[in-house]
Short mmCIF file of all heavy atoms in Angstrom, two decimals:
data_model
loop_
_atom_site.label_atom_id
_atom_site.label_comp_id
_atom_site.label_asym_id
_atom_site.label_seq_id
_atom_site.Cartn_x
_atom_site.Cartn_y
_atom_site.Cartn_z
N GLU A 159 41.63 54.46 -37.00
CA GLU A 159 43.01 54.08 -36.79
C GLU A 159 43.98 55.12 -37.13
O GLU A 159 45.01 55.36 -36.50
CB GLU A 159 43.27 52.79 -37.79
CG GLU A 159 42.62 51.49 -37.42
CD GLU A 159 41.07 51.44 -37.88
OE1 GLU A 159 40.63 52.40 -38.53
OE2 GLU A 159 40.44 50.55 -37.58
N VAL A 160 43.61 55.96 -38.15
CA VAL A 160 44.49 57.03 -38.56
C VAL A 160 44.39 58.17 -37.50
O VAL A 160 45.30 58.80 -37.20
CB VAL A 160 44.20 57.53 -39.98
CG1 VAL A 160 44.87 58.90 -40.27
CG2 VAL A 160 44.59 56.44 -40.96
N ALA A 161 43.14 58.46 -37.01
CA ALA A 161 43.00 59.48 -36.00
C ALA A 161 43.89 59.09 -34.71
O ALA A 161 44.56 59.93 -34.12
CB ALA A 161 41.53 59.56 -35.58
N GLU A 162 43.86 57.79 -34.32
CA GLU A 162 44.60 57.34 -33.16
C GLU A 162 46.11 57.57 -33.46
O GLU A 162 46.90 58.07 -32.64
CB GLU A 162 44.34 55.82 -32.92
CG GLU A 162 45.19 55.31 -31.86
CD GLU A 162 44.89 53.84 -31.49
OE1 GLU A 162 43.74 53.36 -31.86
OE2 GLU A 162 45.69 53.25 -30.82
N ALA A 163 46.64 57.19 -34.69
CA ALA A 163 47.95 57.31 -35.00
C ALA A 163 48.42 58.87 -35.11
O ALA A 163 49.48 59.25 -34.70
CB ALA A 163 48.30 56.66 -36.35
N MET A 164 47.48 59.68 -35.53
CA MET A 164 47.72 61.17 -35.49
C MET A 164 47.89 61.69 -34.09
O MET A 164 48.78 62.41 -33.84
CB MET A 164 46.58 61.93 -36.24
CG MET A 164 46.46 61.73 -37.65
SD MET A 164 45.01 62.39 -38.33
CE MET A 164 45.31 64.23 -38.15
N ALA A 165 46.95 61.18 -33.21
CA ALA A 165 47.16 61.73 -31.84
C ALA A 165 48.49 61.20 -31.15
O ALA A 165 49.16 61.96 -30.45
CB ALA A 165 45.97 61.20 -30.94
N LEU A 166 48.77 59.94 -31.34
CA LEU A 166 50.02 59.39 -30.78
C LEU A 166 51.18 60.20 -31.46
O LEU A 166 52.20 60.46 -30.80
CB LEU A 166 50.12 57.93 -31.06
CG LEU A 166 49.20 57.02 -30.19
CD1 LEU A 166 49.16 55.68 -30.77
CD2 LEU A 166 49.68 57.13 -28.74
N GLY A 167 51.17 60.41 -32.72
CA GLY A 167 52.28 60.97 -33.54
C GLY A 167 52.49 62.34 -33.00
O GLY A 167 53.72 62.75 -32.77
N VAL A 168 51.54 63.26 -32.81
CA VAL A 168 51.70 64.64 -32.39
C VAL A 168 52.13 64.71 -30.97
O VAL A 168 52.92 65.47 -30.53
CB VAL A 168 50.51 65.51 -32.66
CG1 VAL A 168 49.37 65.26 -31.69
CG2 VAL A 168 50.87 67.03 -32.76
N ARG A 169 51.68 63.78 -30.13
CA ARG A 169 52.07 63.75 -28.72
C ARG A 169 53.64 63.39 -28.60
O ARG A 169 54.43 63.96 -27.85
CB ARG A 169 51.28 62.72 -27.95
CG ARG A 169 51.65 62.55 -26.50
CD ARG A 169 50.70 61.53 -25.74
NE ARG A 169 51.05 61.48 -24.44
CZ ARG A 169 51.79 60.51 -23.78
NH1 ARG A 169 52.06 59.38 -24.46
NH2 ARG A 169 52.08 60.70 -22.53
N ARG A 170 54.00 62.42 -29.50
CA ARG A 170 55.49 62.03 -29.49
C ARG A 170 56.31 63.18 -30.10
O ARG A 170 57.24 63.49 -29.56
CB ARG A 170 55.56 60.75 -30.22
CG ARG A 170 56.94 60.20 -30.31
CD ARG A 170 57.06 58.82 -31.03
NE ARG A 170 56.46 58.88 -32.39
CZ ARG A 170 55.24 58.33 -32.68
NH1 ARG A 170 54.62 57.72 -31.83
NH2 ARG A 170 54.76 58.44 -33.95
N ARG A 171 55.85 63.70 -31.19
CA ARG A 171 56.66 64.70 -31.93
C ARG A 171 56.85 65.97 -31.08
O ARG A 171 57.90 66.53 -31.18
CB ARG A 171 56.01 65.06 -33.29
CG ARG A 171 56.24 64.09 -34.43
CD ARG A 171 57.63 64.35 -35.01
NE ARG A 171 57.94 63.37 -35.99
CZ ARG A 171 58.16 63.64 -37.20
NH1 ARG A 171 58.17 64.91 -37.58
NH2 ARG A 171 58.45 62.68 -38.04
N LEU A 172 55.81 66.43 -30.47
CA LEU A 172 55.87 67.63 -29.76
C LEU A 172 56.07 67.46 -28.25
O LEU A 172 56.23 68.38 -27.41
CB LEU A 172 54.69 68.48 -29.87
CG LEU A 172 54.46 68.97 -31.41
CD1 LEU A 172 53.28 69.85 -31.52
CD2 LEU A 172 55.72 69.67 -31.92
N GLU A 173 56.29 66.14 -27.83
CA GLU A 173 56.70 65.84 -26.41
C GLU A 173 55.75 66.39 -25.42
O GLU A 173 56.21 67.14 -24.51
CB GLU A 173 58.11 66.19 -26.15
CG GLU A 173 59.02 65.45 -27.08
CD GLU A 173 60.51 65.89 -26.82
OE1 GLU A 173 60.78 66.86 -26.19
OE2 GLU A 173 61.45 65.23 -27.43
N THR A 174 54.41 66.21 -25.55
CA THR A 174 53.42 66.66 -24.74
C THR A 174 52.78 65.60 -23.96
O THR A 174 52.90 64.32 -24.28
CB THR A 174 52.33 67.50 -25.44
OG1 THR A 174 51.72 66.63 -26.44
CG2 THR A 174 52.96 68.72 -26.02
N ASP A 175 52.07 65.91 -22.83
CA ASP A 175 51.25 64.92 -22.07
C ASP A 175 50.15 64.42 -22.76
O ASP A 175 49.74 63.13 -22.65
CB ASP A 175 50.84 65.56 -20.72
CG ASP A 175 51.97 66.02 -19.83
OD1 ASP A 175 52.88 65.21 -19.49
OD2 ASP A 175 52.00 67.30 -19.63
N TYR A 176 49.51 65.17 -23.64
CA TYR A 176 48.33 64.84 -24.45
C TYR A 176 48.58 65.21 -25.83
O TYR A 176 49.04 66.25 -26.17
CB TYR A 176 46.99 65.54 -23.80
CG TYR A 176 46.75 65.05 -22.49
CD1 TYR A 176 47.29 65.72 -21.32
CD2 TYR A 176 45.92 64.01 -22.20
CE1 TYR A 176 47.06 65.28 -20.07
CE2 TYR A 176 45.58 63.56 -20.95
CZ TYR A 176 46.16 64.22 -19.82
OH TYR A 176 45.95 63.77 -18.70
N GLY A 177 47.90 64.38 -26.68
CA GLY A 177 47.93 64.74 -28.17
C GLY A 177 46.49 64.54 -28.64
O GLY A 177 45.90 63.51 -28.51
N LEU A 178 45.96 65.63 -29.24
CA LEU A 178 44.51 65.68 -29.63
C LEU A 178 44.56 65.62 -31.23
O LEU A 178 45.23 66.44 -31.83
CB LEU A 178 43.81 67.02 -29.18
CG LEU A 178 42.44 67.11 -29.46
CD1 LEU A 178 41.54 66.09 -28.93
CD2 LEU A 178 42.05 68.61 -28.92
#
Side-chain angles (χ1 to χ4, degrees):
E159 293 81 4
V160 169
E162 178 177 340
M164 289 172 68
L166 289 167
V168 77
R169 180 176 183 252
R170 183 178 52 256
R171 281 281 175 119
L172 298 183
E173 299 177 349
T174 55
D175 299 298
Y176 295 88
L178 180 62

